[in-house]
């Protein structure tokens, strides 16, 4: 039996609207279509991918050239699907699966969708940071702060010369504002726009950034395990530009070149245990 993969990078934007009829902006749709076949690089041979706008002859060519896996969803293989694996879950992606003819019994419940939406909100970083600090598991210079009005933002700005304002749900660095990139009036204007759309913003003190890394984890719903490091680069304002594709050994070495105290093996264990709670 097969798993069905869907690359839907617009999911964080869909979480904001929180409805099945969400329409993604054109740039998100282009990214969705451009990356539709990404799951072929990591799925199993019997798995299936949602990519209705793909040239099937081209797919055959890259199958042979790169020895990658997966087939494109069609009427003949839809009955073999036993598990759904989208890039992210929302009411919008559920509707995409339904429109593709997927059995509704494979979809998460409304309660499960609500919980996943809550866990995707950036305020979760506040709870995790507090726990790590309270347990003295990791030194954290500041705890992120959730601002719900203009005065909240002004109070935070009074304490920190340089900081970031982040919308609760966003992707690829969009929805992230660097306070040093604009005047205060424009900063407040944009932040209030985020609050009007999403209910709040998350404020974080800016650190002296050297490189961009992210730790990747996997959960089967019961346990959480560390998978590895992602090494990427952004614009000065925080917009995502791309990833470095390399072995984990080389990426870890690059990380160690800029860090002399933090041990990834120890931190990954701490974070996996924390997230499991």
């Amino acid at each position: 039996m097969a798993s069905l993969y869907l690359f839907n990078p617009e999911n964080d934007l869909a979480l904001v609207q929180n409805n099945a009829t969400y329409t993604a902006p054109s740039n998100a749709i282009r990214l969705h279509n451009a990356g539709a076949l990404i799951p072929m690089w990591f799925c199993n041979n019997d798995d299936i991918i949602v990519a209705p706008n793909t040239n099937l002859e081209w797919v055959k060519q890259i199958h042979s050239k790169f020895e990658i896996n997966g087939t494109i969803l069609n009427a003949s293989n839809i009955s073999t699907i036993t598990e759904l694996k989208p890039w992210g879950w929302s009411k919008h992606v559920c509707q995409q699966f339904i429109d593709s003819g997927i059995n509704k019994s494979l979809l998460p419940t409304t309660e499960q969708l609500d919980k996943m939406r809550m866990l995707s909100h950036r305020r979760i970083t506040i709870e995790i940071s507090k726990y790590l600090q309270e347990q003295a598991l990791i030194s954290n210079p500041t705890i992120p702060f959730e601002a719900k009005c203009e005065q909240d933002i002004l109070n935070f700005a009074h304490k920190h010369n340089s900081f970031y304002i982040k919308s609760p749900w966003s992707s690829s660095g969009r929805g992230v504002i660097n306070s040093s990139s604009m005047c205060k009036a424009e900063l407040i204007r944009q932040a209030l726009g985020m609050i009007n759309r999403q209910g709040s913003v998350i404020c974080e003190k800016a650190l002296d950034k050297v490189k961009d890394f992210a730790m990747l984890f996997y959960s089967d719903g019961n346990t959480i395990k560390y998978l590895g490091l992602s090494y990427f680069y952004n614009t000065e304002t925080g917009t995502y530009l791309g990833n470095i594709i390399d072995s984990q050994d080389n990426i870890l070495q690059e990380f160690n070149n800029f860090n002399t105290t933090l041990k990834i093996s120890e931190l990954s264990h701490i974070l996996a245990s924390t997230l499991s709670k």
Side-chain angles (χ1 to χ4, degrees):
M1 307 304 280
S3 295
L4 179 64
Y5 286 86
L6 172 63
F7 178 65
N8 57 318
E10 72 279 10
N11 193 68
D12 285 284
L13 303 176
L15 288 172
V16 178
Q17 299 297 322
N18 198 29
N19 61 57
T21 59
Y22 167 73
T23 299
S26 59
N27 61 338
I29 293 173
R30 287 195 299 271
L31 181 59
H32 176 124
N33 292 334
L37 295 182
I38 287 176
M40 282 190 163
W41 296 93
F42 54 80
C43 71
N44 294 320
N45 190 50
D46 294 333
D47 290 335
I48 301 167
I49 297 155
V50 180
N53 301 316
T54 299
N55 183 312
L56 296 181
E57 288 301 316
W58 182 78
V59 171
K60 290 180 181 179
Q61 292 177 18
I62 64 170
H63 258 299
S64 175
K65 183 175 182 179
F66 297 105
E67 298 183 355
I68 54 180
N69 298 318
T71 57
I72 305 303
L73 178 67
N74 56 52
S76 65
N77 60 25
I78 192 170
S79 62
T80 67
I81 297 167
T82 57
E83 185 177 15
L84 304 178
K85 294 184 176 182
W87 185 86
W89 279 108
S90 62
K91 293 178 181 178
H92 176 243
V93 76
C94 286
Q95 189 61 51
Q96 290 182 67
F97 281 133
I98 292 171
D99 292 344
S100 297
I102 301 303
N103 190 323
K104 291 184 180 180
S105 66
L106 296 176
L107 299 172
T109 65
T110 300
E111 291 75 17
Q112 289 172 323
L113 287 172
D114 288 341
K115 185 173 183 179
M116 285 186 278
R117 182 174 186 263
M118 179 273 292
L119 290 172
S120 298
H121 194 292
R122 277 197 168 105
R123 71 164 64 96
I124 290 297
T125 61
I126 299 174
E127 299 305 315
I128 293 174
S129 297
K130 285 180 178 179
Y131 178 83
L132 292 173
Q133 192 175 74
E134 289 168 359
Q135 301 299 316
L137 296 174
I138 185 173
S139 176
N140 195 331
T142 60
I143 300 294
F145 170 73
E146 184 173 10
K148 298 183 178 181
C149 64
E150 180 176 351
Q151 191 58 52
D152 285 345
I153 299 170
L154 292 174
N155 291 342
F156 192 87
H158 181 71
K159 298 177 182 177
H160 307 286
N161 292 327
S162 182
F163 60 96
Y164 287 93
I165 292 177
K166 302 180 179 182
S167 57
W169 294 282
S170 68
S171 61
S172 302
R174 295 171 177 83
V176 177
I177 306 172
N178 186 335
S179 68
S180 61
S181 66
M182 62 187 69
C183 66
K184 186 169 73 171
E186 179 62 16
L187 178 75
I188 295 297
R189 188 190 70 80
Q190 291 194 27
L192 290 180
M194 291 179 179
I195 291 173
N196 288 336
R197 291 188 296 272
Q198 300 195 30
S200 65
V201 292
I202 306 300
C203 300
E204 295 183 18
K205 177 185 176 182
L207 304 178
D208 296 327
K209 187 182 75 170
V210 178
K211 293 287 183 177
D212 289 298
F213 294 92
M215 299 180 71
L216 306 179
F217 295 84
Y218 172 78
S219 174
D220 60 4
N222 296 307
T223 60
I224 295 175
K225 64 179 180 180
Y226 170 68
L227 295 183
L229 282 175
S230 171
Y231 181 19
F232 58 99
Y233 47 98
N234 294 328
T235 64
E236 290 185 2
T237 57
T239 300
Y240 172 77
L241 289 177
N243 263 72
I244 304 297
I245 307 300
D246 207 340
S247 69
Q248 276 298 300
D249 287 342
N250 289 343
I251 292 177
L252 183 58
Q253 181 59 53
E254 187 70 14
F255 177 85
N256 290 333
N257 288 341
F258 297 96
N259 165 71
T260 58
T261 59
L262 187 62
K263 302 300 182 183
I264 286 295
S265 59
E266 297 175 5
L267 181 60
S268 63
H269 176 72
I270 290 170
L271 287 175
S273 298
T274 302
L275 292 171
S276 296
K277 298 179 184 299

